[in-house]
Amino acid sequence: MGPIPQVRGSAYLPFVEFLEAAGATVETGVDSELMSSIVRRNSEAFVPMHLAHRFLARGARKIGQQDFGILVGRKIGVESLGAFGRSVRRSLTLHDALGKFHLMFPLYSSAERIWWERDRNNLAFFLHSYLQKPDCGSRYARDCALLLMRDVIRLAAGRHWQPEIVKIDDLENASALREEFGDAEIRHSKFNGLSFSQNLLSRPLRQPHSCGSSARDEEAFDAGVPSGDFLGSLRQVIATFLPEGRCGLEEVAAALGVHPRTLQRRLAARDHDYSELLSRVRFEKTLHLLEDPCNRIHDIALEVGFQDTSNFSRSFRQWAGVTPSQFRERNMGKA
């Protein structure tokens, strides 16, 4: 099994906010609770694509809108994509912006690919595809992505620009897109994308009044990169779920869309056990949090998935032979 497909939470925060503004509460359970909490806590955290798309499918059913992705896409711009989106928004030209998608998007999502390529008759295409077979909620993410891609081109071409050609991978669910893109020709393709004139590539982008701190965005974006292997990506998923208190085997397996025994078998094939992996992720995150003397032991316990300090201290003593406070005093208090 390859790496777990993951996307930064900022890709789904607009969907969470849209549902909340509409007064819609998705069915209780792992999907709605985790998605809302994770993306609000840290929009740069990585979210398993299966969990996110299942959340989108349930959200669309709740509000009765099959054009869910389009409704969200109309309300946001590329800067909504967290530190990555703000970096794109600060690009000098369209060519510069598309270059950032090519270079930086693999650090934003390990589940998708976005790129551009030149075509005949002075046309170019801005393209998007999933690296694995799309699931039930992917159409809503796809539709939103197409509108965000249009938003990027409009920064150079003008607010009312429309593509001549729109490529999508599912013509059966294209009616809302046909309406959204007006007179554009809708073509079936294994990729999703928009055509645009190559003459736009050198055109300067409309500059924002303010788009946040470049240095702060780079620090936030560089803090995490999607792992390229199964164990590494599973560790990232566990680390994301720890503060939510949803890091048990069954809960993580459900978020990945697999049976707990299947997850156990895949770990066993790599000579790993889930409980040992969970303890290691907890221990490593605890060490990082202990480095900051402002972090209280009680708060650290919550951040690594413990509901009370006594259980946290007991587990830490098993890991290190001392309590967290003793460990901090002996190892972190040295000048």
Side-chain angles (χ1 to χ4, degrees):
M1 180 181 181
I4 297 164
Q6 301 179 90
V7 186
R8 294 190 189 245
S10 55
Y12 304 105
L13 180 58
F15 288 92
V16 171
E17 293 176 336
F18 183 93
L19 289 171
E20 291 176 351
T25 302
V26 184
E27 304 97 297
T28 58
V30 65
D31 297 30
S32 57
E33 294 173 9
L34 273 178
M35 283 300 300
S36 179
S37 182
I38 289 172
V39 301
R40 287 200 173 281
R41 178 188 294 268
N42 179 10
S43 63
E44 296 299 332
F46 290 109
V47 179
M49 185 184 70
H50 178 82
L51 170 69
H53 286 183
R54 196 168 60 195
F55 170 78
L56 298 186
R58 292 184 176 182
R61 287 198 300 270
K62 182 67 176 181
I63 62 175
Q65 296 286 353
Q66 291 307 302
D67 56 349
F68 185 25
I70 293 176
L71 293 174
V72 173
R74 286 173 181 167
K75 291 180 172 292
I76 62 176
V78 68
E79 61 272 13
S80 298
L81 299 181
F84 166 70
R86 290 188 292 272
S87 176
V88 171
R89 188 64 182 84
R90 289 191 294 266
S91 300
L92 301 176
T93 64
L94 181 59
H95 186 274
D96 184 27
L98 298 183
K100 288 182 178 179
F101 269 95
H102 176 72
L103 293 174
M104 297 175 63
F105 198 76
L107 306 182
Y108 186 83
S109 170
S110 64
E112 306 154 86
R113 180 185 172 213
I114 290 189
W115 73 104
W116 74 278
E117 59 187 35
R118 299 179 188 271
D119 199 65
R120 296 172 295 177
N121 302 322
N122 200 40
L123 283 181
F125 280 90
F126 192 10
L127 299 166
H128 167 272
S129 70
Y130 290 106
L131 299 180
Q132 295 188 6
K133 183 179 179 180
D135 48 28
C136 60
S138 63
R139 56 176 290 198
Y140 308 111
R142 175 206 66 189
D143 291 353
C144 186
L146 284 170
L147 267 64
L148 286 173
M149 292 159 70
R150 182 180 66 180
D151 176 71
V152 172
I153 299 175
R154 281 181 169 180
L155 294 174
R159 290 182 174 86
H160 303 293
W161 175 88
Q162 290 279 39
E164 293 182 11
I165 302 169
V166 177
K167 293 183 176 182
I168 61 171
D169 56 8
D170 179 14
L171 288 178
E172 292 183 5
N173 296 298
S175 57
L177 287 174
R178 292 181 190 278
E179 181 178 349
E180 181 66 25
F181 287 102
D183 296 329
E185 177 188 351
I186 306 294
R187 293 182 183 176
H188 182 259
S189 171
K190 61 180 179 179
F191 305 130
N192 304 296
L194 313 173
S195 69
F196 63 94
S197 170
Q198 294 183 29
N199 296 333
L200 294 174
L201 288 168
S202 60
R203 190 172 295 184
L205 296 196
R206 186 174 70 252
Q207 292 302 306
H209 296 296
S210 174
C211 217
S213 167
S214 161
R216 188 165 60 247
D217 279 347
E218 289 177 5
E219 181 180 349
F221 193 72
D222 292 341
V225 174
S227 176
D229 62 81
F230 171 69
L231 285 175
S233 57
L234 179 57
R235 287 163 61 97
Q236 288 179 325
V237 171
I238 294 172
T240 296
F241 285 11
L242 284 179
E244 316 307 326
R246 296 298 191 93
C247 48
L249 172 66
E250 292 77 10
E251 292 162 318
V252 170
L256 302 181
V258 300
H259 193 278
R261 283 197 290 270
T262 301
L263 182 55
Q264 286 178 316
R265 285 197 299 270
R266 290 173 179 172
L267 284 168
R270 294 164 174 82
D271 296 321
H272 279 73
D273 173 78
Y274 184 80
S275 61
E276 293 178 354
L277 188 65
L278 173 59
S279 292
R280 176 167 292 277
V281 173
R282 277 176 156 164
F283 181 62
E284 291 175 352
K285 188 168 185 178
T286 297
L287 294 185
H288 173 71
L289 294 171
L290 282 171
E291 291 178 357
D292 186 346
C294 295
N295 289 330
R296 300 182 303 170
I297 300 300
H298 174 72
D299 295 333
I300 293 175
L302 294 176
E303 280 293 312
V304 297
F306 289 92
Q307 298 303 310
D308 60 80
T309 306
S310 59
N311 284 335
F312 169 59
S313 296
R314 189 179 305 112
S315 293
F316 192 89
R317 184 183 287 274
Q318 291 176 346
W319 301 333
V322 293
T323 67
S325 297
Q326 292 170 332
F327 185 91
R328 171 182 268 170
E329 182 179 349
R330 297 178 185 180
N331 296 278
M332 306 297 184
K334 300 176 181 179

